[in-house]
Amino acid sequence: MSRPFHEFPKSQIFLGRYMTGMKTIGSTFIRWQAGWFWLALLIVAAAWLTTLQTDIGAANDQTPDTTGLVGPLMDDSAEFVVAWHTWGVTHPPAYPLLNFLGNVITHLLRILPISPVTAANLVSFGSGLVALALLGRLVAPRSGAAAAAVLLPAFGGLVWLYSNVAEVYAFGLLLGTASLTLALAVGRRPQRPLALAFGLLFGLTVGHHRTLLALTPALAVALWPARRLGWQVWVGAAALAVSSLAVYAYLPLAALSGSPWIYGRSPTTWPGFLDAVLAREYEAQLLPPHTFPAIIAALGGRFYFLAQEMTWPGLLLGIIGLGAALSQPHTRRLAIILGLTAAGYFLAPVGQYLLIGTHMLIMVASFALSASFALGIMAWGRRYPFVVPLGLLLALAVAGNAWMSHRPWVTSYTKDPLGRQMIAAMVAVTAVDPAPTLVETWGPRYFAFAYGKWVSGDLPEVELLDARADLRGLEMLSRRPQTLYTTQDMLYVTAPDVWATRLGGAVALESAGDGLVAVRQHPRLAPVTAQRGAVEIAIHAAHGWREKNGDARLTITWQAITQPTADYHIFVHLTDRPDIAHPDDIVAQGDRQHPVYGFYPTSRWTAGELVRDDYRIALPAKHRPLRAFVGLYTIASDGAFINHLRQEVIIHSRPLSLSKGGVGFDKLNRQGVNGYVRK
């Protein structure tokens, strides 16, 4: 006989009402669970669009990895942007399927009023979104837990970044997730057509990124129930996997079609073709750690980088979810498969730099553990309906935390203005030198100029030369002009003395624009107009202005009055006061040891030589300097600073080319000081 309601303890009454309420919440959530999945995808798409790269970048890593294990994150992105507009061939393993599809999709998207960079990056954007959709449907096709599988990995630093820029990783995630989804389908419903389709897809997946071989144990377990199809079917699937290498026909076809973008040796030759297919330049990175301390250190490093990607709370949720899914019989098999997918990252028998530096398996492990969390809350949601909405709230909180943590880092890459600045500087050079020869080495700067030449059309007449790190590429020039152009960063790789050796004599340097250097076989001379005296160098012309992004820019043209006898240092002090009477009056400065980005000591100058010098100085917030004080100084043996020249340069609100009616840099170099410099 049941007890009257009033005889129950109040705590039991409260608990009963609480559980009833939670079940009601869970039941209400279940009725709307399909909508949560699509809402999660919409949230991710909207958030990713806010950081999508829309113009070409060229900067090195803003925050390079201190362990030395993570390679530069954006070294290759612009390479794919150029390749996907020129039917090009990229670095090994050449990614023929992605490059073919990237060109097809990018050329179709160019119908829309978007930039070429945006069109290329939308390939990765779409790949990343479809990969997330497959992940959600893989673990919870009819559960709101699918939304958790979408949200949890979406704002990991690597997943987010590589879904915003043209790269191989989002497409690799799509292929890997599709392979796992198809393998599970074959295991559930063993059919010959599905098995053969899996063979082809697996071949394309591994052909795209070799590290995805680490999925093999998980895929084998997923396929195991389909073994009864017979060995003939699986031999056929293996043959289709091998036949997927036929996509490499794209390489020689691209070269034969005259594409200007071919990496390394021509793929129309067997050595060049095998370089791409076998990815031989990475052979040295294959050797795995082989001592016990090295293995332990490698495992610790892999765990650390996965936590960096997922955030520590996200990693913890993934591990808890995996345990929860393993504890329930109806989700145990899929949990084992997801666990093996994550284990492929931890146990991959390759070198640490290849594994972590190529990023792919870090993102795969993040996907697997995120799916494990979704599977875990779905498993326990059968018994306790409130577990799924609670888990989704936790995933949303972790995703929000990852968004706040990783957004500044992601935008530092996707909103990098350097590529556009370099192209603009080179466009200004072409106004004076209609067919300049630009020398760079293969990398982000080279890709930015290539984008200007072959994609955007800003630099059609520029001869772009990949001169290699030792400048041996200069031998490829059909003609050797008196002036070559390069970037200031190139001079860190190849010092001026290397240029002098390659060019057969001393070289004169001067800035050719923001970040550009003109390497001349003979100095640029002009009659000396300044009064001879104690000062060996004078300011021939100068102009300062503020850019829209808040940076201050100065262009100074020095002239050697006589042969300088000392190496003068340069100070550039900006102020919002009438003068600088105290160090606190300086709001920003751009001092250098030598002119021309520090590479051209004044003792190498000749009498009458003109040397242009450009400065870009980041300004503190809320400061608008009105003037700069520019000059030369030396340091005495007792450490004292000795000023030899000090002049004021007014900081205008617009550059000289606008405020003075369109003046190119060569005309600026010929301008006198009147109107630009005040002593």
Side-chain angles (χ1 to χ4, degrees):
M1 182 175 178
S2 61
R3 296 166 61 186
F5 181 78
H6 66 274
E7 292 183 7
F8 282 94
K10 291 183 178 181
S11 60
Q12 291 187 22
I13 295 173
F14 173 78
L15 181 60
R17 290 176 175 173
Y18 173 79
M19 294 302 295
T20 300
M22 294 303 292
K23 288 180 179 179
T24 302
I25 293 173
S27 300
T28 303
F29 177 84
I30 289 171
R31 288 197 296 269
W32 294 90
Q33 57 190 349
W36 291 113
F37 167 72
W38 294 109
L39 179 60
L41 278 177
L42 183 62
I43 290 172
V44 171
W48 281 0
L49 282 175
T50 66
T51 57
L52 187 73
Q53 188 184 40
T54 57
D55 204 353
I56 199 72
N60 292 112
D61 278 9
Q62 309 292 327
T63 54
D65 170 54
T66 56
T67 68
L69 292 176
V70 178
L73 296 173
M74 290 288 285
D75 258 20
D76 302 323
S77 176
E79 177 191 7
F80 288 99
V81 173
V82 177
W84 294 352
H85 287 88
T86 58
W87 299 96
V89 175
T90 54
H91 65 277
Y95 311 102
L97 178 62
L98 176 60
N99 284 332
F100 173 75
L101 293 176
N103 271 282
V104 171
I105 296 171
T106 297
H107 283 82
L108 289 174
L109 289 174
R110 289 298 303 278
I111 300 173
L112 303 175
I114 57 177
S115 72
V117 174
T118 302
N121 293 337
L122 284 175
V123 175
S124 292
F125 178 85
S127 298
L129 278 182
V130 176
L132 286 175
L134 286 176
L135 185 70
R137 292 305 191 188
L138 182 149
V139 295
R142 292 179 297 277
S143 170
V150 169
L151 290 171
L152 203 54
F155 300 110
L158 296 175
V159 170
W160 186 357
L161 175 65
Y162 289 132
S163 297
N164 269 212
V165 300
E167 253 289 1
V168 303
Y169 301 110
F171 190 66
L173 282 174
L174 173 56
L175 289 174
T177 309
S179 293
L180 193 55
T181 301
L182 186 54
L184 287 166
V186 175
R188 285 192 299 266
R189 298 185 302 276
Q191 297 176 14
R192 182 174 181 272
L194 286 179
L196 295 177
F198 170 79
L200 179 61
L201 178 59
F202 180 67
L204 293 172
T205 299
V206 174
H208 174 73
H209 209 279
R210 306 298 190 263
T211 60
L212 291 173
L213 268 172
L215 293 174
T216 302
L219 294 173
V221 173
L223 292 168
W224 184 250
R227 64 191 183 280
R228 64 176 181 268
L229 286 173
W231 65 269
Q232 297 94 335
V233 172
W234 292 110
V235 168
L240 283 172
V242 174
S243 71
S244 68
L245 291 174
V247 297
Y248 273 93
Y250 168 82
L251 274 59
L253 290 175
L256 290 172
S257 70
S259 172
W261 198 253
I262 304 296
Y263 179 93
R265 294 188 285 187
S266 173
T268 59
T269 66
W270 272 113
F273 185 78
L274 292 177
D275 283 347
V277 175
L278 301 178
R280 290 190 283 209
E281 66 181 65
Y282 304 120
E283 290 176 352
Q285 301 174 17
L286 292 175
L287 184 65
H290 55 278
T291 65
F292 184 74
I295 292 172
I296 296 300
L299 290 173
R302 295 175 187 191
F303 191 84
Y304 167 78
F305 281 107
L306 182 57
Q308 293 293 104
E309 170 66 11
M310 298 185 68
T311 73
W312 287 101
L315 179 58
L316 181 61
L317 286 186
I319 294 171
I320 291 173
L322 181 61
L326 287 170
S327 70
Q328 298 299 304
H330 63 281
T331 55
R332 186 171 296 142
R333 181 170 177 273
L334 182 52
I336 290 172
I337 293 169
L338 292 173
L340 287 173
T341 302
Y345 160 66
F346 287 103
L347 304 178
V350 296
Q352 194 79 332
Y353 183 83
L354 178 64
L355 181 74
I356 294 175
T358 56
H359 319 305
M360 187 78 255
L361 287 183
I362 298 178
M363 293 180 278
V364 169
S366 172
F367 263 45
L369 288 178
S370 299
S372 297
F373 174 72
L375 187 64
I377 64 174
M378 185 185 69
W380 283 86
R382 286 189 174 186
R383 182 178 301 180
Y384 306 105
F386 66 87
V387 169
V388 175
L390 178 61
L392 181 54
L393 286 175
L394 288 173
L396 186 60
V398 170
N401 175 61
W403 158 271
M404 291 187 293
S405 299
H406 292 149
R407 180 179 168 82
W409 180 80
V410 170
T411 54
S412 70
Y413 293 105
T414 61
K415 305 304 179 184
D416 161 39
L418 183 58
R420 177 52 53 193
Q421 291 170 1
M422 292 171 57
I423 291 173
M426 199 63 205
V427 168
V429 170
T430 61
V432 179
D433 188 345
T437 299
L438 178 59
V439 180
E440 248 297 333
T441 189
W442 190 267
R445 277 56 159 191
Y446 183 90
F447 303 152
F449 290 125
Y451 174 83
K453 178 176 177 62
W454 287 303
V455 180
S456 68
D458 294 310
L459 305 172
E461 302 303 323
V462 171
E463 183 177 3
L464 181 59
L465 178 67
D466 175 15
R468 311 297 190 219
D470 58 359
L471 294 180
R472 67 181 185 274
L474 292 177
E475 301 169 359
M476 300 169 57
L477 287 173
S478 57
R479 62 178 183 86
R480 184 166 293 179
Q482 291 296 306
T483 302
L484 299 172
Y485 299 91
T486 189
T487 63
Q488 60 169 318
D489 305 281
M490 185 68 176
L491 293 180
Y492 286 101
V493 180
T494 54
D497 291 343
V498 178
W499 289 80
T501 300
R502 288 289 183 183
L503 295 174
V507 295
L509 305 180
E510 64 173 319
S511 173
D514 185 20
L516 296 180
V517 177
V519 182
R520 304 185 188 278
Q521 296 189 51
H522 304 286
R524 189 164 59 95
L525 303 175
V528 175
T529 58
Q531 183 177 359
R532 296 177 181 270
V535 178
E536 298 178 320
I537 298 173
I539 294 179
H540 183 73
H543 180 61
W545 71 95
R546 288 186 303 273
E547 293 202 328
K548 292 181 180 179
N549 67 356
D551 290 350
R553 292 281 309 280
L554 284 93
T555 296
I556 304 164
T557 301
W558 310 96
Q559 183 173 33
I561 307 304
T562 61
Q563 172 77 47
T565 58
D567 284 330
Y568 294 98
H569 311 304
I570 302 167
F571 65 84
V572 178
H573 296 165
L574 282 74
T575 183
D576 50 10
R577 308 287 180 85
D579 203 346
I580 297 175
H582 189 273
D584 291 341
D585 296 336
I586 301 173
V587 300
Q589 62 189 87
D591 299 5
R592 286 179 183 162
Q593 184 177 11
H594 303 298
V596 193
Y597 308 106
F599 291 105
Y600 197 33
T602 56
S603 60
R604 298 186 181 184
W605 299 7
T606 59
E609 182 173 354
L610 295 173
V611 178
R612 174 177 169 171
D613 211 7
D614 279 275
Y615 294 80
R616 174 184 290 275
I617 303 171
L619 298 177
K622 299 181 180 180
H623 279 282
R624 294 173 61 86
L626 303 174
R627 54 186 52 82
F629 289 91
V630 179
L632 304 172
Y633 70 95
T634 55
I635 303 176
S637 58
D638 61 358
F641 290 83
I642 304 172
N643 286 343
H644 299 273
L645 174 69
R646 182 178 186 268
Q647 292 187 6
E648 180 185 3
V649 180
I650 302 300
I651 304 298
H652 298 274
S653 59
R654 296 181 299 174
L656 179 64
S657 58
L658 296 176
S659 61
K660 294 294 177 180
V663 181
F665 86 84
D666 194 57
K667 184 173 181 180
L668 172 62
N669 286 333
R670 296 195 299 269
Q671 289 279 359
V673 298
N674 293 336
Y676 303 102
V677 179
R678 189 179 76 227
K679 294 185 179 180

